[in-house]
Amino acid sequence: MSKAVFTIFGASGDLAKRKLYPSLFRLYKSGVLTENFAVIGTARRPWTKDFFEGVVLDAIADLTTSKTEAQQFASHFYYQSHDVEDAAHYHTLKVLQEDLCKRYETDHNKVFFLAMAPQFFGTIASHLKSEAIVDGQGFERLIIEKPFGTDLTSAKALNQALSETFNEDQIFRIDHYLGKEMIQNIFAVRFANILFEHVWNRDFIDNIQITFAESIGVEDRGGYYDQSGALKDMVQNHILQVLSILAMDKPASFSSADVLPEKIKVLENLRMPDDKLIVENFVRGQYQAGHINENDYPAYIDEASVAPDSKTETFASGVFFVDTERFQDVPFFFRTGKRLTEKGTRINIVFKNDANIFSQEVAQNILTIYIQPTEGFSLQVNGKEVGKNFAIEPVKLDFRHDADALGNSPEAYEKLMYDVLNGDSTNFSHWHEVKASWTLIDEVVKAWQADKTPLSYYKAGSMGPRESFDLLEKYGTSWIWQP
Ligand code: BG6
């Protein structure tokens, strides 16, 4: 059972409604939150408590089985109209915070969630300190959403601003991929199976392929996305985080104190490409008009809030190398993009071939980790084809379930909120990880902005530009997943 007063900055926003309120409700239903909690929602709009409760009830409508339970939950929500730059407003917030702490007996524990534009993160953190809302009593934890900066310089400035009020172990930088069931499952696959643990290295693994494909376009986020692009939106954070879990050495224990240093080591050992290598090893693409499942979609440059001459990439692909003893020279291929053939997040671990005693070619063993929309694993192994001749054929051992259909996977946010309440930062991005990933990504961005790599185009509904396929060919392999 956890006790805390949550303060959500950006309480009227989309993220709060779609993710936070439902996640808190699920924690309430499962008994992690009982009666000893309260939520202060803040935003500029002048809402009343009643209206805010209504917003919360709407947000959890799909999860509600008992009206009384939902109303009881919503009664813990309080609203405070707030201008993040106005010190006087923090004073009112402090009074409310203390009042709720007493009323709900929350032991002074506080969780602050910044679900708003990152340019305000620094101001909020500094007011929390100057107005003594952060007062050293109980636990005090800050949750922040991506993006953590837009390059290394801005990320450093932001980190500096936050660290005036919070220590590293009080800052929980959300990467929602780290809350996904099957991403967390990579730890289990790697470290709970003797079958894999001892072959998880450069002697046995030929290459690793990470695909984060989306069939949606930029939806109503053209304004943000056109300033960001696939590299900053998906690679700097989600893909590099997943890569760090795939490539890390075995931690001494499954705790943040042991896991995080191993992940950091991977990111700090990413091979830094020079301009020549960036041109050879990284591909940027943008979608043109096309169709998916018989629906026609416009080109990226015709989407709302996107500059008509935009050079922003909606697809990024490339290869990373991790210069550690374990993975030296093993290619980690990645690709991610909008308006691809279908939504599919998966990882293929392609093993090397052993010396072959048969008179035919033998397929490589492949371990596939399916992250979404289905969750599970498959392992491609070789067996004998039924018949009197001796022929070898690959077969797939497949274990999968449809997470959405079963509806039993907790939401990523629910798990991450649970971790925050327990003070467990294993599934959050550490500052050293953020720093190391921006260091590399900045180099690629610089080369792309200088047009060192031409922008390639792909049709909506395809799996990205030809150059992404050519890249793997240069390394003597090909994308295993070709929907
Ligand atoms: C977000 C990106 O971080 O992740 C979005 O900003 C992207 O552009 C989303 O669509 C994908 O997340 P998921 O959980 O739907 O795979």
Side-chain angles (χ1 to χ4, degrees):
M1 184 189 87
S2 301
K3 301 176 175 188
V5 174
F6 296 80
T7 305
I8 298 178
F9 292 88
S12 59
D14 201 43
L15 176 75
K17 290 187 223 161
R18 273 189 315 114
K19 302 287 184 188
L20 302 186
Y21 306 147
S23 300
L24 289 172
F25 185 53
R26 290 173 72 133
L27 291 174
Y28 180 71
K29 275 175 67 150
S30 64
V32 173
L33 295 177
T34 53
E35 294 312 311
N36 302 104
F37 86 98
V39 179
I40 305 174
T42 80
R44 288 194 76 114
R45 297 173 200 189
W47 285 356
T48 60
K49 175 167 168 50
D50 271 358
F51 188 83
F52 187 36
E53 283 188 26
V55 169
V56 173
L57 287 171
D58 275 353
I60 61 170
D62 287 352
L63 304 169
T64 317
T65 43
S66 144
K67 206 172 159 196
T68 324
E69 184 187 44
Q71 279 169 345
Q72 179 64 21
F73 170 75
S75 73
H76 290 248
F77 284 67
Y78 295 78
Y79 188 79
Q80 172 83 58
S81 170
H82 185 79
D83 172 352
V84 293
E85 319 246 30
D86 185 342
H89 283 196
Y90 290 88
H91 182 68
T92 331
L93 203 58
K94 183 178 167 63
V95 173
L96 178 58
Q97 156 92 47
E98 284 177 350
D99 176 38
L100 295 177
C101 169
K102 269 192 217 114
R103 189 173 326 165
Y104 292 96
E105 298 175 4
T106 54
D107 293 349
H108 298 281
N109 295 333
K110 309 167 200 84
V111 176
F112 303 97
F113 199 117
L114 308 189
M116 58 190 311
Q119 71 258 34
F120 300 119
F121 291 176
T123 314
I124 297 172
S126 96
H127 279 99
L128 289 178
K129 187 174 180 186
S130 62
E131 303 314 311
I133 296 177
V134 166
D135 59 3
Q137 297 188 73
F139 68 63
E140 302 181 308
R141 296 176 185 150
L142 177 74
I143 309 179
I144 42 179
E145 269 297 320
K146 65 166 266 232
F148 199 88
T150 52
D151 56 15
L152 182 59
T153 311
S154 55
K156 273 185 178 162
L158 172 56
N159 203 54
Q160 177 59 35
L162 297 182
S163 59
E164 314 246 318
T165 306
F166 297 96
N167 302 326
E168 178 63 27
D169 62 5
Q170 295 176 301
I171 303 177
F172 293 76
R173 296 178 196 81
I174 286 210
D175 183 312
H176 77 283
Y177 269 70
L178 298 183
K180 289 187 192 278
E181 195 60 39
M182 287 306 296
I183 300 286
Q184 297 189 354
N185 218 322
I186 301 172
F187 289 106
V189 174
R190 286 199 54 192
F191 304 121
N193 293 294
I194 195 166
L195 201 61
F196 296 125
E197 197 193 315
H198 296 280
V199 294
W200 208 271
N201 57 51
R202 64 192 303 264
D203 295 334
F204 295 93
I205 292 181
D206 185 84
N207 70 82
I208 291 185
Q209 304 184 5
I210 304 172
T211 300
F212 284 19
E214 293 186 274
S215 56
I216 55 167
V218 290
E219 314 286 280
D220 53 1
R221 298 163 74 223
Y224 150 78
Y225 195 87
D226 208 33
Q227 299 301 313
S228 167
L231 196 64
K232 293 184 181 184
D233 188 50
M234 295 293 283
V235 184
Q236 181 270 332
N237 35 60
H238 310 318
I239 289 192
L240 283 174
Q241 276 294 332
V242 169
L243 181 146
S244 73
I245 301 174
L246 290 165
M248 68 193 270
D249 284 338
K250 187 176 181 178
S253 75
F254 189 50
S255 65
S256 58
D258 288 323
V259 170
L260 289 175
E262 293 301 345
K263 288 178 65 208
I264 293 168
K265 194 170 82 191
V266 170
L267 295 172
E268 289 184 342
N269 279 288
L270 284 169
R271 190 177 301 167
M272 200 53 71
D274 58 15
D275 276 359
K276 183 166 165 287
L277 275 183
I278 292 173
V279 173
E280 283 170 14
N281 282 342
F282 293 87
V283 175
R284 58 181 183 137
Q286 191 188 78
Y287 63 81
Q288 293 180 312
H291 45 265
I292 306 176
N293 295 334
E294 285 158 38
N295 293 319
D296 291 324
Y297 293 102
Y300 172 69
I301 47 165
D302 294 325
E303 301 273 15
S305 312
V306 169
D309 57 352
S310 173
K311 286 287 193 73
T312 299
E313 80 286 355
T314 58
F315 176 93
S317 179
V319 55
F320 290 118
F321 290 95
V322 182
D323 288 329
T324 55
E325 219 177 300
R326 178 181 295 269
F327 273 121
Q328 183 80 47
D329 295 333
V330 175
F332 285 76
F333 299 107
F334 72 89
R335 59 181 167 171
T336 182
K338 302 276 186 200
R339 284 274 187 258
L340 300 182
T341 317
E342 60 182 73
K343 168 93 180 172
T345 310
R346 61 176 73 181
I347 300 160
N348 293 103
I349 291 113
V350 185
F351 289 89
K352 290 187 170 169
N353 265 341
D354 210 351
N356 188 359
I357 59 163
F358 301 104
S359 55
Q360 70 171 97
E361 290 237 334
V362 166
Q364 287 171 297
N365 291 142
I366 301 171
L367 170 68
T368 304
I369 304 173
Y370 302 90
I371 317 273
Q372 53 187 16
T374 55
E375 297 183 346
F377 326 97
S378 72
L379 181 62
Q380 177 174 288
V381 296
N382 291 301
K384 182 187 165 299
E385 204 178 277
V386 177
K388 58 183 179 314
N389 291 330
F390 194 96
I392 303 227
E393 65 169 355
V395 289
K396 240 187 198 178
L397 312 178
D398 212 344
F399 166 71
R400 280 203 260 175
H401 62 258
D402 184 331
D404 289 344
L406 290 179
N408 62 354
S409 282
E411 270 267 350
Y413 271 85
E414 179 188 348
K415 285 195 281 178
L416 295 174
M417 296 285 246
Y418 180 71
D419 287 349
V420 171
L421 289 169
N422 288 321
D424 181 353
S425 45
T426 314
N427 295 312
F428 293 83
S429 315
H430 189 279
W431 164 240
H432 288 151
E433 296 181 281
V434 175
K435 188 168 146 203
S437 53
W438 273 126
T439 306
L440 193 160
I441 294 300
D442 272 4
E443 289 305 303
V444 182
V445 170
K446 230 185 339 170
W448 285 4
Q449 275 172 353
D451 264 335
K452 300 249 155 87
T453 309
L455 178 66
S456 307
Y457 291 92
Y458 62 100
K459 260 199 169 151
S462 69
M463 278 306 275
R466 190 180 42 80
E467 286 80 355
S468 165
F469 294 84
D470 295 348
L471 172 69
L472 272 72
E473 240 169 67
K474 272 195 300 204
Y475 284 88
T477 183
S478 56
W479 287 110
I480 301 296
W481 187 39
Q482 306 212 8

